[in-house]
Amino acid sequence: MGSKGDIIYYELLDSQVLYNLLKTFHDETGLIINMFDIHGSYHKFYFPDPRPYCEFVNSINLGKLACDSTEAKMCKEAASSKKTVLFLCPAGLVDIATPVFVQGIHIGNLFTGQFRATNYTENTFKIFLRNFSDKSRKELLKEYYYSTMVFTHKEIDAVKNSLNFIKNFISNYGENFIYDNKNDFKEMDIVSKAKKYIREQYQNSD
């Protein structure tokens, strides 16, 4: 039998309300949105649609080890600080994680990102590129990296605001949309308002 946090986490993953909120986030931002459990493992992927650059980096031993280590560190920091944290991955993209609490219990972390942020990320990418001597591989990495979308500071703030909103929504209403089992609660006006907030955050960042 798992901990109470684990039980809530697994129940939450089956919620249609959560699915709808995260789909709204993905549709508006174009970003992946995933959840880690408190042990740092993926148990559900929401619209993963990984960037070609990230797929390529993760196909390389060095890249996968660096990314896994960064994600674990990021989730640990988010949990201990109880705040949304922004990290620069070793391959030069931005990731964001925020801890999720239900009934005061830390049940997991929402995770999004994998975008560029102008020179801030490009310098890290150039350092990462030095690990590769093969010219064709370097050129492919460059092609994939520079095709990854760039977010402005205002857009990054909108993403963080939306992520915090979803986290707080789960904290306040999580029990309802777990135990009402996707029926009455998903039709409530509060859900429509939540989706509207997420849309407006990103649309107002243009």
Side-chain angles (χ1 to χ4, degrees), residues 46-169:
Y46 293 96
F47 323 104
D49 186 28
R51 307 282 172 237
Y53 177 67
C54 293
E55 285 190 307
F56 190 80
V57 168
N58 273 282
S59 71
I60 304 163
N61 236 12
L62 171 73
K64 180 164 176 52
L65 288 171
C67 287
D68 288 349
S69 173
T70 301
E71 287 173 356
K73 182 181 178 184
M74 190 163 115
C75 288
K76 186 176 180 181
E77 182 171 323
S80 61
S81 67
K82 298 184 178 180
K83 295 179 180 177
T84 298
V85 296
L86 184 148
F87 263 67
L88 181 60
C89 86
L93 297 182
V94 176
D95 292 322
I96 305 172
T98 193
V100 178
F101 292 83
V102 174
Q103 301 172 357
I105 301 168
H106 178 220
I107 64 161
N109 303 285
L110 285 167
F111 174 88
T112 190
Q114 298 178 329
F115 55 84
R116 293 190 289 136
T118 61
N119 293 336
Y120 171 63
T121 53
E122 187 173 351
N123 293 334
T124 303
F125 167 68
K126 288 176 180 176
I127 293 169
F128 179 72
L129 205 59
R130 293 175 195 162
N131 292 299
F132 304 95
S133 56
D134 183 271
K135 187 176 179 181
S136 62
R137 180 168 280 186
K138 277 189 173 185
E139 290 306 312
L140 194 54
L141 277 167
K142 285 180 183 178
E143 179 186 335
Y144 284 152
Y145 180 77
Y146 289 109
S147 67
T148 303
M149 58 182 164
V150 179
F151 273 49
T152 65
H153 291 299
K154 192 174 180 181
E155 287 170 330
I156 293 171
D157 284 342
V159 169
K160 288 169 67 178
N161 289 342
S162 295
L163 209 60
N164 280 324
F165 179 86
I166 295 170
K167 170 189 73 173
N168 292 330
F169 188 90

